[in-house]
Amino acid sequence: MRQRDRDHLQRYARAVTVAQENERKRIARDLHDGPAQSLVVLSRGLGRLAQAGGDAPAGGEAARQLQDVARHTLRSIRRTTWALRPALLDDLGLLPAIESLAEHHYEPGTAAVAVGVVGESRRLDRDVELAAFRIVQEALANVSRHASAENAAVTIAFLDDRVALTVADDGIGFDVAAQERHDHFGLTGMRERTELVGGTLSVESDAGVGTVVHFEAPG
Ligand SMILES: Nc1ncnc2c1ncn2[C@@H]1O[C@H](COP(=O)(O)OP(=O)(O)OP(=O)(O)O)[C@@H](O)[C@H]1O
Ligand SMILES: [Mg+2]
């Protein structure tokens, strides 16, 4: 590919990534302000109806069941909203957001995720925080979807002038070179985000041993 085409492509990929983040933020806000608020109101109303159902036990039970449905739907919307754009990341920074991702938002029933920290947690450039978070989110999604791992470990090192992140699993591993030729969006997206913040990314994987994703960026 000629240099000019490469520059074009890179500018395009950059614009798409930025547009995608803005769009995610907007959808998260709309979900929060619209359906999620309505479900809170609905769930409270059904709760009152269930309590008042003493005279009509069947009605009270029906209201209780509907309240369960409303609560369940609310939880699922909140999970989606969180994954689209965790407010925690903007408000408190990378470490709390990753800890929360590992604790509450990681697919249950798959690998156990441990989070380790090196150095003192601090706020970084917002673009670096967002890139790092999205990379960990995708790496952990890959662990739960593909790795058949028992354990995963996320390590965040706050170094003097940069941040270094590792996501390691003890799963089945895969042929990185072969996958990179196919255009899967996950790994490609990680590389794209890394370039946007002037960082480096490596993905190393061995069959039967596991996979290590390493990201570093100034900040
Ligand atoms: N931790 C991992 N363990 C085992 N295989 C992996 C792991 N991470 C990635 N892979 C393999 O690499 C492939 C490409 O990953 P990538 O994230 O790019 O795409 P994907 O997860 O298949 O789709 P998506 O675009 O939804 O992310 C996966 O389909 C899987 O075969
Ligand atoms: Mg993926």
Side-chain angles (χ1 to χ4, degrees), residues 78-218:
R78 287 196 170 137
R79 254 200 314 276
T80 306
T81 311
W82 199 93
L84 282 166
R85 184 63 188 242
L88 207 60
L89 180 65
D90 297 325
D91 296 346
L92 297 180
L94 190 56
L95 183 61
I98 287 177
E99 280 173 338
S100 179
L101 175 69
E103 248 175 70
H104 306 297
H105 300 275
Y106 181 66
E107 209 151 304
T110 54
V113 185
V115 178
V117 191
V118 177
E120 198 149 331
S121 169
R122 65 168 189 273
R123 296 304 304 258
L124 308 161
D125 181 280
R126 296 303 153 93
D127 292 339
V128 174
E129 286 185 338
L130 184 58
F133 180 80
R134 290 298 187 206
I135 287 167
V136 173
Q137 199 177 21
E138 172 58 27
L140 285 179
N142 280 347
V143 173
S144 74
R145 232 181 279 159
H146 309 297
S148 305
E150 278 179 23
N151 302 286
V154 182
T155 310
I156 314 169
F158 293 92
L159 307 172
D160 283 347
D161 54 353
R162 70 211 146 90
V163 64
L165 265 139
T166 304
V167 181
D169 71 65
D170 61 358
I172 55 174
F174 69 107
D175 183 346
V176 179
Q179 290 301 342
E180 302 250 347
R181 279 199 295 275
H182 297 108
D183 252 14
H184 287 265
F185 194 72
L187 294 173
T188 313
M190 285 190 200
R191 295 216 177 280
E192 186 48 48
R193 286 182 181 279
T194 303
E195 268 183 39
L196 278 175
V197 295
T200 55
L201 185 88
S202 70
V203 182
E204 282 170 24
S205 193
D206 282 311
V209 178
T211 303
V212 182
V213 174
H214 185 81
F215 165 83
E216 268 193 54

